[in-house]
Amino acid sequence: EVQLVQSGAEVKKPGESLRISCKGSGYTFTSYWITWVRQMPGKDLEWMGWIDPSDSYTNYSPSFQGHVTFSADKSISTAYLQWSSLKASDTAMYYCARHRLATSPFDHWGQGTLVTVSS
Amino acid sequence: EIVLTQSPGTLSLSPGERATLSCRASQSVSSNYLAWYQHKPGQAPRLLIYGASNRATGIPDRFSGSGSGTDFTLTISRLEPEDFAVYYCQQYGSSRTFGQGTKVEIK
């Protein structure tokens, strides 16, 4: 069974750093790209970008370029989303999802990680 | 950027009724790269339809997608209790964007 299991909820202060994870199982991790999607409270889904775990090539949405970093460790089938300095506006649910190509839908999703940034 | 507009915002229906959800794109979606997802609170979104009209693996045949170009429709022929959720359309032909969602609620 294909699964993407995300790390648990986080509560952080503005300016702190954070890395959340997305672990794939039940499939060949390097055969699918991992995308990240943000959903701010009461708002729409926003595509943040994707990473190819086979070579860590990344493609960021212009809206998120420079604000977050994607990485992956294929040895443990895990992708990461990282912030170096959180802002209150980063408070959101973050989902990972997999897709095979740039022009493929997201066929499996993680359960989401809630990130709360508050002083 | 292709903007997707879904309508209606909320659909109030009873189990057994037919649901028709609309997704309109600001410009033509290339190769009909249009997907529909179901999202329930506290759960991972689920892919229902891809390529505008192809059901994803394991999706019941009461779900169907149609349309091309800029106008797309998701139809649920007879609503089951587990179908009450939020539905999003997404285009994946030019970068990726989502619609704002349609909530299907129990009347």
Side-chain angles (χ1 to χ4, degrees):
Chain A
E1 178 193 6
V2 173
Q3 284 192 307
L4 293 172
V5 178
Q6 296 185 232
S7 50
E10 301 274 2
V11 179
K12 292 289 189 179
K13 290 181 168 36
E16 292 186 331
S17 63
L18 175 65
R19 189 177 77 168
I20 63 175
S21 65
C22 169
K23 183 174 176 59
S25 63
Y27 72 100
T28 301
F29 188 66
T30 51
S31 294
Y32 289 79
W33 300 353
I34 295 290
T35 235
W36 290 94
V37 174
R38 181 176 78 175
Q39 187 170 38
M40 299 175 74
K43 300 296 184 182
D44 306 341
L45 299 171
E46 300 173 88
W47 174 70
M48 301 174 69
W50 50 257
I51 183 167
D52 179 352
S54 68
D55 60 7
S56 290
Y57 181 83
T58 55
N59 179 29
Y60 294 92
S61 162
S63 299
F64 292 91
Q65 178 84 48
H67 298 291
V68 296
T69 302
F70 306 147
S71 61
D73 184 342
K74 59 186 178 182
S75 70
I76 56 172
S77 301
T78 301
Y80 302 97
L81 168 60
Q82 182 173 333
W83 296 260
S84 59
S85 180
L86 287 160
K87 304 175 184 176
S89 57
D90 293 318
T91 294
M93 181 72 84
Y94 293 88
Y95 295 96
C96 64
R98 75 165 201 177
H99 54 110
R100 191 177 279 279
L101 300 169
T103 51
S104 295
F106 306 149
D107 66 353
H108 284 85
W109 294 63
Q111 82 279 16
T113 295
L114 180 62
V115 174
T116 303
V117 184
S118 174
S119 54
Chain B
E1 177 180 285
I2 297 178
V3 176
L4 299 178
T5 302
Q6 292 187 239
S7 61
T10 302
L11 202 49
S12 298
L13 295 168
S14 300
E17 289 193 295
R18 182 184 188 89
T20 302
L21 288 67
S22 173
C23 176
R24 178 162 290 179
S26 60
Q27 55 188 282
S28 185
V29 176
S30 62
S31 303
N32 288 339
Y33 286 142
L34 192 287
W36 290 92
Y37 300 90
Q38 178 192 67
H39 193 195
K40 298 179 183 178
Q43 295 186 20
R46 180 171 71 145
L47 174 67
L48 300 175
I49 301 288
Y50 65 94
S53 61
N54 302 290
R55 271 189 300 277
T57 303
I59 301 303
D61 60 9
R62 65 180 181 273
F63 292 92
S64 62
S66 62
S68 64
T70 60
D71 289 290
F72 299 89
T73 300
L74 174 70
T75 302
I76 311 171
S77 59
R78 289 176 53 86
L79 282 164
E80 297 287 341
E82 62 269 26
D83 298 337
F84 292 92
V86 178
Y87 293 83
Y88 294 96
C89 59
Q90 178 212 31
Q91 67 80 23
Y92 50 97
S94 173
S95 187
R96 289 164 187 275
T97 50
F98 292 90
Q100 82 279 20
T102 290
K103 181 180 182 181
V104 178
E105 65 176 23
I106 299 176
K107 187 174 180 181

